[in-house]
Structures are given as structure tokens and as C-alpha cells.
Amino acid sequence: ALNFASFANLRDEYLRANALQEIDGERVAAAAHINQEVAAIQSLVGNTLEHAATNQMDEAEVYVFHVAIVNRLAVLQKEIDQFADDVAYSDALVEARRDFSEYKNFIIMATDIAAIDPLGAMRHAFHASQAQVKVSEHTQAIANAIAKVVTSRSRQLAQGFQEQAVQTGVVGGVLMAILLLIWLVVAERVTRRISMIAEALKSFAQDNTDPPSLPAVTAISVQKNSLLRDMAQAVLAFRSAVITRKQAQYELGERMKE
């Protein structure tokens, strides 16, 4: 009876961990989306400023673009404001909100004067790119914090299965021990995969877009039945955002030299 009760508790803990993991995956995806959107906006603004400076866009077209960007930033502002807070990344979230506000202001100013003062607009866009880097760092810090929580939770769960399997083997109950060992294998497999995802995320935060764990994370992202597929896809979205940001920064730097 004791073994069955312990097994039931571990099963409930496993189901609870899966539910929390789903929530964590959604938060990582939300942070990745914010990162992607900021990078995409920065790239669009850079291209538009270049077109405005070379008279490929008139004042009316630039104004239409400005309004569209303002609306897009408003949607993104709402996403950041509604991002669920957690003690694991509270400071990073506060800083992300602060730096996004700065980024938004610079982008709005840049697109507002693009048609009449291209050089001034470029300066605002350059400052926006600096704020963008900070926002990217903060959203990646949030995702890293979540990944650490998930990894720790998975390791604790695997340890619980291991301890219970040993106890069951000592007390008796071959079938129960086998079931626990199966669950232990599953838990350890999930833990290894989470560790690879966390490692990749840490590398992306350091602007390393090709870490050793990238092939494994890519493989997880396309596995239909994987519990970690959504989280892996969100982490790969961070990689895309890093690449986009670096390209946009390079292009803006080249334009500033002209």
C-alpha cells in the first residue's frame, strides 16, 4: 500500500511538472516573440529610413509607415505589460519593460522625422538599436531563468523516481519497481533534452548562433510527439532574432557611415 501511495504521489508530481512545463514553454515563446518583433521592427525601420533618405519614398508614404509602426509598437507594448511576472526573472522583466519604452520612443521619433530629417532619423534609429540590444538581453535572460527552473524541476523529479525505485526494490514489488524505472528513464531523457535547450539558449544570449547543442534542439523542434517541441521552437526563434538583430545593426552602421 505504501508503494502504491508513493507511486501515485510521484505520478501526480509528474503530471504537475508537465502542466508547469507547458506554462513555462508558453512564457519562453512569448519572450521569443517579443524579441523577434523588436528585431523585425528595427530591420523594417532601417530599410525605410534608407528609402526616405534616397527619395524612394515620399512624405505621405513615410507617414503611413510611421502610423503602422506606432500601432505595431502599441501591440508589442501590451504584450510586454501583460507578460506574467515571476520571482525567477522579475528584475529582467522590469528592465525589459524600461528599455522597451526607450526603444519605442526612439523608433517613433525616427519614423516621425524620416522624410524631413533623414540624418536625425538615422541617429534616433541608432539609439533605438542600442536599446534593442538591451531588450534582447533581458528577454533572453527571462528565457534563461525559465529554462533553469524547468531543468531544476526535471532533475528533482528524476531524483524522486530514482529514490522511490530503490526503496521499492528494497521493500518489494517487482512490477512497481519496473514501472518506476520506466518513468525514471523518461524523466532523465526529458532532463537531458531540457539541458540541451538551456545550453543553446545561453549560447544565443552570448551571440553564438551555432552552439554544439543546436542540432539536438533543431531535432526536438520538429518531433510531433515531443513534450519539449514548443519550447525548442521558441528557443530557435531567439536564434533567428539574434541573427536578424546583428544584420540590422550592421546595415544601420553602414548607413551611418554614408
Side-chain angles (χ1 to χ4, degrees):
L2 179 61
N3 283 337
F4 277 107
S6 299
F7 179 78
N9 288 335
L10 284 173
R11 179 202 60 197
D12 292 343
E13 186 63 26
Y14 179 78
L15 295 175
R16 175 179 170 274
N18 280 346
L20 290 173
Q21 185 173 294
E22 185 175 348
I23 294 173
D24 290 333
E26 291 172 353
R27 291 181 180 180
V28 171
H33 179 259
I34 291 169
N35 205 6
Q36 279 187 306
E37 269 292 275
V38 172
I41 289 171
Q42 185 69 25
S43 181
L44 281 173
V45 169
N47 291 332
T48 299
L49 295 187
E50 182 177 11
H51 291 158
T54 55
N55 296 319
Q56 297 179 53
M57 293 177 68
D58 59 30
E59 192 168 346
E61 290 173 321
V62 172
Y63 176 74
V64 170
F65 176 79
H66 168 73
V67 172
I69 288 295
V70 169
N71 292 335
R72 193 166 173 177
L73 287 168
V75 172
L76 198 51
Q77 178 73 69
K78 187 176 180 179
E79 289 183 25
I80 294 177
D81 290 342
Q82 293 179 346
F83 197 98
D85 199 356
D86 191 282
V87 66
Y89 53 76
S90 183
D91 291 342
L93 182 57
V94 169
E95 293 172 352
R97 287 169 175 163
R98 180 198 63 206
D99 289 323
F100 176 77
S101 180
E102 182 180 351
Y103 171 79
K104 181 180 69 174
N105 291 337
F106 279 126
I107 287 294
I108 290 174
M109 288 189 291
T111 55
D112 187 40
I113 64 172
I116 58 176
D117 184 7
L119 185 58
M122 284 288 186
R123 284 195 292 267
H124 287 315
F126 177 74
H127 291 306
S129 71
Q130 293 177 313
Q132 180 205 352
V133 171
K134 295 178 183 178
V135 173
S136 178
E137 289 173 348
H138 300 322
T139 54
Q140 288 178 336
I142 290 171
N144 274 328
I146 294 171
K148 288 180 181 178
V149 169
V150 174
T151 302
S152 176
R153 187 190 305 131
S154 297
R155 286 174 177 166
Q156 289 175 4
L157 187 62
Q159 183 178 357
F161 280 124
Q162 186 175 16
E163 291 173 354
Q164 186 59 37
V166 172
Q167 180 182 346
T168 301
V170 172
V171 175
V174 175
L175 178 59
M176 189 66 66
I178 291 173
L179 288 173
L180 283 168
L181 287 171
I182 292 173
W183 279 45
L184 173 61
V185 170
V186 172
E188 289 185 337
R189 184 166 179 254
V190 171
T191 299
R192 286 196 302 272
R193 292 187 169 197
I194 290 174
S195 295
M196 287 188 289
I197 290 174
E199 178 189 333
L201 193 57
K202 183 178 179 180
S203 296
F204 299 156
Q206 298 170 346
D207 282 354
N208 176 12
T209 55
D210 294 295
S213 57
L214 179 59
V217 175
T218 302
I220 295 170
S221 72
V222 297
Q223 291 177 353
K224 294 182 180 180
N225 298 322
S226 174
L227 297 173
L228 299 173
R229 183 186 64 178
D230 291 344
M231 185 175 290
Q233 290 175 348
V235 169
L236 291 178
F238 271 104
R239 179 177 184 268
S240 297
V242 170
I243 293 172
T244 301
R245 171 175 58 79
K246 291 169 72 173
Q247 182 63 29
Q249 285 180 309
Y250 172 78
E251 291 175 354
L252 181 60
E254 291 300 304
R255 293 185 188 112
M256 293 290 290
K257 295 176 183 178
E258 297 175 357

